[in-house]
């Protein structure tokens, strides 16, 4: 099928096993990238705090003028970067979730296939036993 097209199968490896291995590797990569985004966010928040600001307080006075003792441009730039990285984080979490669902779907199929194969082997074994028993009679 088309979703297996890019799966690199190792010699002797069943296609579903290759798919689950590849999905697991993708998931590990995405989780690492998520960690990097979280580190970036923490650094940006720390830098914002060092400017004496957070994400929500106003940067203008009652008359609407920028507060003189604040680096308004720097604070707004950092807030924007934080919002962008939060969006990146949310998108990454959705990607990880999609990969996890696919991964567990493939694992479930592998188990079902293995169970079906084992059942067929047992049925064949039982059939052979019946045949052998008939030969004895």
């Amino acid at each position: 099928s088309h979703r297996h097209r890019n799966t690199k199968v190792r010699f002797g490896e069943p296609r579903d096993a290759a798919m689950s291995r590849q999905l697991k590797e993708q998931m590990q990569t995405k989780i690492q990238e998520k960690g990097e985004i979280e580190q970036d966010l923490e650094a940006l928040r720390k830098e914002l705090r060092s400017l004496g600001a957070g994400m929500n307080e106003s940067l203008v006075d009652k008359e609407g003028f920028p507060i003189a003792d604040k680096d308004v441009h720097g604070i707004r730039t950092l807030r924007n970067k934080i919002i962008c990285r939060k969006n990146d984080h949310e998108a990454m979490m959705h990607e990880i979730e999609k990969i996890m669902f696919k991964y567990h779907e493939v694992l479930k199929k592998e188990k079902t296939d293995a169970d079906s194969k084992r059942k067929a082997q047992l049925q064949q074994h039982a059939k052979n036993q019946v045949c052998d028993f008939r030969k004895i009679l």
Side-chain angles (χ1 to χ4, degrees), residues 3-133:
R3 51 177 220 196
H4 296 293
R5 196 174 303 142
N6 295 326
T7 305
K8 291 183 177 87
V9 179
R10 293 178 181 157
F11 182 74
E13 182 179 39
R15 184 165 291 286
D16 284 337
M19 183 75 165
S20 65
R21 177 183 45 78
Q22 201 169 38
L23 287 168
K24 185 176 182 178
E25 289 168 4
Q26 284 177 10
M27 193 168 28
Q28 289 169 337
T29 300
K30 296 293 181 186
I31 289 170
Q32 185 176 351
E33 290 173 21
K34 178 186 76 85
E36 291 167 7
I37 292 170
E38 289 167 349
Q39 288 175 348
D40 287 351
L41 272 169
E42 187 53 43
L44 290 167
R45 288 182 180 124
K46 188 175 181 178
E47 189 176 346
L48 185 61
R49 284 192 302 272
S50 76
L51 295 177
M55 290 298 291
N56 301 316
E57 64 268 0
S58 178
L59 299 176
V60 294
D61 60 21
K62 290 178 221 163
E63 286 107 34
F65 292 104
I67 298 173
D69 66 337
K70 298 279 184 184
D71 176 4
V72 175
H73 177 71
I75 291 169
R76 285 188 175 158
T77 300
L78 284 169
R79 285 178 176 178
N80 184 24
K81 287 180 181 178
I82 288 170
I83 290 167
C84 289
R85 291 309 271 163
K86 279 181 168 180
N87 290 340
D88 293 344
H89 187 266
E90 188 174 335
M92 186 63 65
M93 293 300 287
H94 286 295
E95 284 185 47
I96 292 169
E97 182 180 35
K98 283 183 354 189
I99 294 169
M100 284 179 81
F101 278 122
K102 282 183 195 173
Y103 176 68
H104 288 286
E105 197 176 281
V106 171
L107 287 182
K108 186 176 179 182
K109 185 178 181 313
E110 279 180 35
K111 185 183 179 331
T112 302
D113 291 351
D115 290 348
S116 296
K117 185 176 178 181
R118 180 73 181 132
K119 185 178 178 183
Q121 287 172 339
L122 288 172
Q123 287 173 338
Q124 185 60 44
H125 180 71
K127 189 176 175 184
N128 291 343
Q129 294 300 317
V130 170
C131 291
D132 292 342
F133 181 71

